[in-house]
Amino acid sequence: MAKLGKRTCAAREAFNGKENLSVSEAIELVKGYASAKFDETVEVALNLGVDPRHADQMVRGTVNLPNGTGKTVRVAVFARGEKAEEAKKAGADIVGAEDLMETVQSGKIEFERCIATPDMMPVVGRLGKVLGPRNLMPNPKVGTVTMDVAEAVAAAKGGQVQFKVEKAGVVHAGIGKASFDAKALEENLLAFVDAVSKAKPAGAKGTYMKKVAISSTMGPGVSIDVASATGN
């Protein structure tokens, strides 16, 4: 078994026995032990009382984090003509049509968000097996299939986070960097939890928000009192 480093041991010791903290306490703890040589991402994970195998229990959506994510998001847009020009002016990193489809099919995916105009979906649809598993497939439910490509690009670049529940009923996302001040991280976390709460599906039964936890990229996680995160 690999020997744990001093920082890892110190972090685990500091987190040991601490659970169901308030949002502010949890953020201070995670920030205090995010000591990697790079600016770690602060991540939130929500355990939801849903079974996404049932269509009426699927949870997905978007949220604009008030203080951004701290990440540079590369955006690809499938569009032609005027809409392609709009996307370029809005700051899209890659804009194309069939040519972009061929690039993606070759395995070259140099973007973290994919947007398409509705007329391009027959082209984009051929990329389902490539983009789908990476959660990059444009979807009208999260605003990435749209005629307003400029707004979609601006949202993606400005800190919009997409979320989708996984098989085990977990939703997770990065809500900022460890270098953010505690207030900014708290505002981002509360905005994310609120968005997921509002996305509660009709088929959800019993307790919806079961657990909230945060961690940094290289650090241990700590649970947050659900009432502190939801305001209930």
Side-chain angles (χ1 to χ4, degrees), residues 74-78 87-88 91-96 100 103 109-111:
R74 296 173 299 175
V75 179
V77 177
F78 283 87
K88 289 175 185 175
D93 300 275
I94 307 166
V95 180
L100 179 52
T103 299
I109 302 174
E110 298 180 332
F111 52 87

Side-chain angles (χ1 to χ4, degrees), residues 55-93:
D56 65 347
Q57 293 188 45
M58 174 54 68
V59 179
R60 73 185 307 161
T62 61
V63 56
N64 294 313
L65 298 181
N67 302 296
T69 63
K71 282 186 175 181
T72 300
V73 179
R74 296 173 299 175
V75 179
V77 177
F78 283 87
R80 294 191 181 97
E82 287 183 15
K83 292 300 173 183
E85 290 305 311
E86 279 181 32
K88 289 175 185 175
K89 287 179 182 176
D93 300 275

Side-chain angles (χ1 to χ4, degrees), residues 49 53 80 101 150 162 179 181 195 216 222 229 231:
R53 292 176 298 178
R80 294 191 181 97
M101 178 192 72
Q162 294 183 357
S179 60
D181 66 49
S216 63
V222 63

Side-chain angles (χ1 to χ4, degrees), residues 161-180:
V161 170
Q162 294 183 357
F163 57 86
K164 180 181 177 182
V165 68
E166 297 174 354
K167 288 180 182 178
V170 176
V171 172
H172 62 85
I175 56 165
K177 295 291 186 177
S179 60
F180 282 23

Side-chain angles (χ1 to χ4, degrees), residues 16-184:
N16 189 35
K18 293 182 179 175
E19 56 184 35
N20 292 329
L21 303 183
S22 69
V23 171
S24 57
E25 288 171 336
I27 286 173
E28 289 292 354
L29 185 62
V30 168
K31 270 178 60 67
Y33 285 89
S35 54
K37 292 180 180 178
F38 61 93
D39 193 5
E40 297 181 52
T41 296
V42 176
E43 301 168 348
V44 61
L46 311 179
N47 286 69
L48 306 179
V50 298
D51 183 350
R53 292 176 298 178
H54 301 288
D56 65 347
Q57 293 188 45
M58 174 54 68
V59 179
R60 73 185 307 161
T62 61
V63 56
N64 294 313
L65 298 181
N67 302 296
T69 63
K71 282 186 175 181
T72 300
V73 179
R74 296 173 299 175
V75 179
V77 177
F78 283 87
R80 294 191 181 97
E82 287 183 15
K83 292 300 173 183
E85 290 305 311
E86 279 181 32
K88 289 175 185 175
K89 287 179 182 176
D93 300 275
I94 307 166
V95 180
E98 282 80 4
D99 56 333
L100 179 52
M101 178 192 72
E102 290 171 7
T103 299
V104 173
Q105 282 178 328
S106 73
K108 193 175 180 182
I109 302 174
E110 298 180 332
F111 52 87
E112 291 81 38
R113 184 69 62 88
C114 187
I115 295 162
T117 53
D119 60 296
M120 289 302 301
M121 286 312 291
V123 173
V124 181
R126 298 181 218 167
L127 301 172
K129 289 183 179 178
V130 182
L131 299 179
R134 293 172 172 81
N135 204 23
L136 289 172
M137 194 69 183
N139 188 312
K141 292 181 180 178
V142 294
T144 48
V145 177
T146 176
M147 288 300 287
D148 196 344
V149 291
E151 183 179 332
V153 171
K157 292 281 189 180
Q160 185 188 71
V161 170
Q162 294 183 357
F163 57 86
K164 180 181 177 182
V165 68
E166 297 174 354
K167 288 180 182 178
V170 176
V171 172
H172 62 85
I175 56 165
K177 295 291 186 177
S179 60
F180 282 23
D181 66 49
K183 185 68 176 172

